[in-house]
């Protein structure tokens, strides 16, 4: 009996010790913990862990969205890189394709975008021991299988060189599934706050501390982790919509240096069908030079994004992206996310 009691006490102490080592997830450490989740997912799904790529060979499929608010306008390659003894990435020749390299550290500091045509080696900034690396190239038409095949061949030529290959440690001593579970209530409360606050765009959300705010960083990590700096990409957010009847928005062409796109998500930040986006590479322009994008208006509607696939009770929203935004965008206050209206 004494032996059983002693065993129980020891087990209890060990269990208590393990729990004590786990850090409670709160609003104060949410950004770092949310970042750790995405680092962990990327390491787990990469070819061989740290310092190897996870290539998205096609635009993200509905059933495979490891990061919130991914888009189908680019082909992604991601990696978690150990920078302790130096690290670089080497890029092949991308020709005249619109290609971007982005680095994000363990504190969700996002560095200015590097625009490249390839044929170069880029040092990974050692802001933290582990860095998230994202290489993406514009794909106007998700049905352009010939271009996707060429982009896949280019992905295979991406090279990571690093002097250290330590495994990435998940924040707070958690296993990844447990961390995901612990994060969810904090994230949900932030998303509710964003909706109540009518946040209009991504200013102050992404970047280094020089041009972010504490609340902006929290909003950015919850709403669209891994976003680019405001000067590189402007993200404009619509409100949530309950009705799946026909909606439309009409807007002036912002004439961005890169491109614009509109993507529909559910209220958890995930695309809910395989036709969730529209961009200026494939959109039909109105006779007056403006664009109209439709939502749930049927196949015959101009530039239609279907709303099929929402679960019972889910709402939908739209994220507008402006890659390398123009002066016209700011000067004329072009924001298609705020002019979405139900069509009677």
């Amino acid at each position: 009996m004494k032996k059983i009691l002693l065993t129980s006490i020891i087990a209890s102490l060990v269990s208590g010790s393990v729990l004590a080592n786990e850090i409670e997830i709160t609003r104060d450490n949410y950004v770092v913990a949310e970042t750790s989740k995405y680092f962990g997912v990327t390491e787990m799904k990469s070819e061989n862990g740290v310092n190897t790529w996870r290539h998205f060979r096609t635009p993200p499929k509905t059933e495979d969205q490891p990061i919130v608010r991914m888009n189908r306008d680019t082909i992604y390659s991601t990696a978690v890189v150990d920078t302790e003894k130096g690290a670089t990435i080497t890029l092949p020749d991308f020709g005249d394709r619109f290609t971007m390299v982005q680095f994000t550290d363990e504190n969700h500091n996002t560095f200015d975008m590097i625009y490249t045509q390839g044929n170069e080696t880029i040092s990974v900034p050692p802001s933290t021991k582990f860095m998230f690396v994202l290489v993406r190239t514009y794909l106007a038409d998700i049905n352009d299988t010939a271009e996707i095949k060429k982009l896949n061949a280019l992905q295979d030529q991406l090279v990571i060189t690093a002097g250290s290959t330590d495994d990435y440690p998940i924040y707070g001593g958690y296993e990844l599934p447990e961390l995901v579970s612990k994060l969810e209530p904090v994230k949900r409360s932030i998303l509710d706050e964003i909706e109540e606050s009518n946040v209009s765009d991504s200013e102050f959300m992404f970047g280094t501390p020089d041009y972010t705010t504490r609340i902006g960083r929290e909003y950015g990590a919850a709403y669209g982790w891994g976003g680019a700096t405001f000067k590189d990409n402007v993200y404009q957010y619509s409100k949530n919509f309950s009705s799946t009847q026909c909606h439309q928005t009409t807007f002036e062409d912002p004439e961005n240096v890169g491109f614009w796109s509109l993507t529909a998500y559910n209220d958890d930040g995930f695309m809910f069908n395989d036709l969730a986006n529209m961009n200026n590479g494939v959109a039909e322009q109105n006779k007056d030079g403006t664009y109209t994008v439709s939502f749930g208006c049927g196949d015959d509607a101009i530039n239609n994004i279907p709303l099929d696939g929402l679960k019972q009770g889910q709402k939908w929203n739209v994220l507008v992206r402006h890659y390398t935004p123009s002066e016209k965008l700011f000067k004329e206050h072009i924001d298609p996310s705020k002019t979405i209206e139900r069509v009677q």
Side-chain angles (χ1 to χ4, degrees), residues 25-27 30 182-191:
I25 305 302
T26 67
R27 188 77 175 245
Y30 167 75
K182 296 286 187 180
L183 280 164
E184 192 55 35
V186 182
K187 179 177 182 177
R188 175 47 54 189
S189 70
I190 296 173
L191 290 175

Side-chain angles (χ1 to χ4, degrees), residues 37 106 130 153 160 162 187 198 223 230 232 243 301 335:
K37 177 184 78 175
E106 294 179 75
F130 295 96
I160 297 170
K187 179 177 182 177
N198 295 317
Y223 193 90
F230 195 67
D232 287 314
S243 170
D335 187 348

